[in-house]
Amino acid sequence: MGLSVLFSPVSAAIGGVLIGGSASALFRANGRILGMSGILKEVRTSAWKQAFVGGMLTTSGATTLLLGPQVWEGVLHSSQFSALTLASGLLVGFGTTVGSGCTSGHGVCGLSRLSKRSMVAVGTFFPVSMITANAFSRVDPLIVNYFSFPTGFGVDPIISSTALVLGGAFLIQRSFANKISQTADGDSSKSLIASAATGGVFASGLMLSGMTDPRKVLGFLDIFSLSGWDPSLAFVMMFAVAISFFGFRNAKNCIPLLRKCTSLPTNTDITPSLIIGSALFGIGWGIAGVCPGPGIVSLSSGTLFSLGWVSSMFVGFVLGSFW
């Protein structure tokens, strides 16, 4: 088994540093955990989460406008919109709700904090996603195409990127308006600025590392790929967790720079829901190679694949809340 031509250790490592750095900075500044699925589920009601997502959207859109649509080459040329796309988004949304996390919350922040729940979650969704990716890579393309929708639909990347910049700016502005009614949350103007900034750095790390390219993610998960294995994701996780480990040192006694207290997860139980949810997330991730953070950032591409996947993920969030 050889290595894929897409293997990019340097950009993967730098992207991992940015991802781990954003998680560490968010915790040290605001005492918050960078759990992307949890952030997205509560973006309508939480000021700091609005600022964080706003920073992500603005950075993604601005990057596309500055560098051009070619930054989404992986999404534009390798991701066919199909019923499997919708199934993937649905499973990721449902699974992360039931299992309380994804690759950022459990994978980066959880492992960095040496959380046993996160170790179980990661130990579940990574093998499941690998099995799924290997299985689907060997399905006859004719069967996959049978579930596909007509191509050629979507939004021009310039239009979608402009919409993301404006939408991100609106969310950031909205967060400052909402902080007045959320004084119990302890957010100040400075902490919201920090949330928006770390969201921007996080989005940059996802794009630079290749996490937004389904080809690279599936190239890692499908270790027996005929086109060669791409270990880039291993570099991303290794550097992200290593940087975050130092950011989360002595977490329980940490006093944030911009807030009065930390907001650490309190549930330490290993439950069936944790394992079932992580497994479902793993299946969804293994089908399309997309998880919550990269999915949101990829909206800038304007592809029907990204728009459909993200919409389906939010449906999964809603369904998962009834679990």
Side-chain angles (χ1 to χ4, degrees):
M1 178 185 67
L3 293 179
S4 168
V5 295
L6 296 176
F7 179 40
S8 53
V10 176
S11 60
I14 297 174
V17 169
L18 292 177
I19 291 171
S22 61
S24 300
L26 183 65
F27 181 73
R28 286 295 169 177
N30 294 350
R32 310 285 195 185
I33 297 295
L34 202 170
M36 201 60 233
S37 57
I39 289 173
L40 292 174
K41 282 182 289 186
E42 298 177 0
V43 71
R44 291 180 58 195
T45 58
S46 171
W48 82 266
K49 293 176 181 178
Q50 289 171 346
F52 187 90
V53 175
M56 289 182 66
L57 296 180
T58 303
T59 299
S60 174
T63 300
T64 307
L65 291 174
L66 289 172
L67 301 181
Q70 62 268 22
V71 297
W72 302 110
E73 179 185 359
V75 178
L76 292 170
H77 293 104
S78 69
S79 304
Q80 186 173 28
F81 180 61
S82 69
L84 294 177
T85 306
L86 299 178
S88 169
L90 191 69
L91 285 168
V92 167
F94 188 89
T96 54
T97 301
V98 174
S100 303
C102 56
T103 51
S104 56
H106 281 313
V108 176
C109 297
L111 294 183
S112 302
R113 295 185 296 108
L114 304 179
S115 164
K116 292 182 179 179
R117 272 177 59 86
S118 293
M119 291 178 186
V120 171
V122 174
T124 301
F125 68 66
F126 255 116
V128 170
S129 63
M130 287 182 167
I131 293 172
T132 303
N134 275 269
F136 273 86
S137 69
R138 284 149 183 79
V139 174
D140 191 321
L142 292 176
I143 298 177
V144 176
N145 290 337
Y146 180 79
F147 293 99
S148 299
F149 297 107
T151 57
F153 295 97
V155 180
D156 185 283
I158 302 301
I159 297 176
S160 60
S161 299
T162 302
L164 254 64
V165 171
L166 295 176
F170 171 77
L171 277 178
I172 295 173
Q173 183 278 329
R174 179 95 175 162
S175 72
F176 281 88
N178 286 345
K179 80 178 179 67
I180 299 175
S181 61
Q182 296 180 12
T183 52
D185 223 15
D187 280 306
S188 63
S189 296
K190 290 182 179 180
S191 70
L192 291 178
I193 292 173
S195 295
T198 51
V201 174
F202 182 61
S204 299
L206 292 176
M207 289 186 284
L208 182 60
S209 67
M211 285 289 291
T212 55
D213 188 342
R215 298 174 304 172
K216 294 184 66 63
V217 176
L218 294 176
F220 170 79
L221 297 177
D222 183 8
I223 59 176
F224 300 111
S225 173
L226 297 178
S227 59
W229 183 51
D230 184 357
S232 299
L233 183 56
F235 281 71
V236 178
M237 289 299 296
M238 179 173 63
F239 279 88
V241 172
I243 295 297
S244 296
F245 178 78
F246 291 100
F248 284 104
R249 280 195 308 174
N250 199 26
K252 292 183 178 179
N253 298 321
C254 173
I255 299 177
L257 295 175
L258 304 176
R259 290 180 67 242
K260 296 180 180 179
C261 60
T262 58
S263 301
L264 289 168
T266 57
N267 188 358
T268 59
D269 297 333
I270 310 298
T271 62
S273 293
L274 175 70
I275 298 173
I276 293 171
S278 297
L280 291 175
F281 163 64
I283 295 173
W285 192 31
I287 291 174
V290 185
C291 56
I296 291 296
V297 173
S298 297
L299 285 174
S300 186
S301 68
T303 60
L304 189 59
F305 173 86
S306 295
L307 295 170
W309 190 93
V310 169
S311 299
S312 184
M313 176 186 66
F314 276 98
V315 173
F317 286 156
V318 175
L319 295 177
S321 65
F322 293 103
W323 176 271

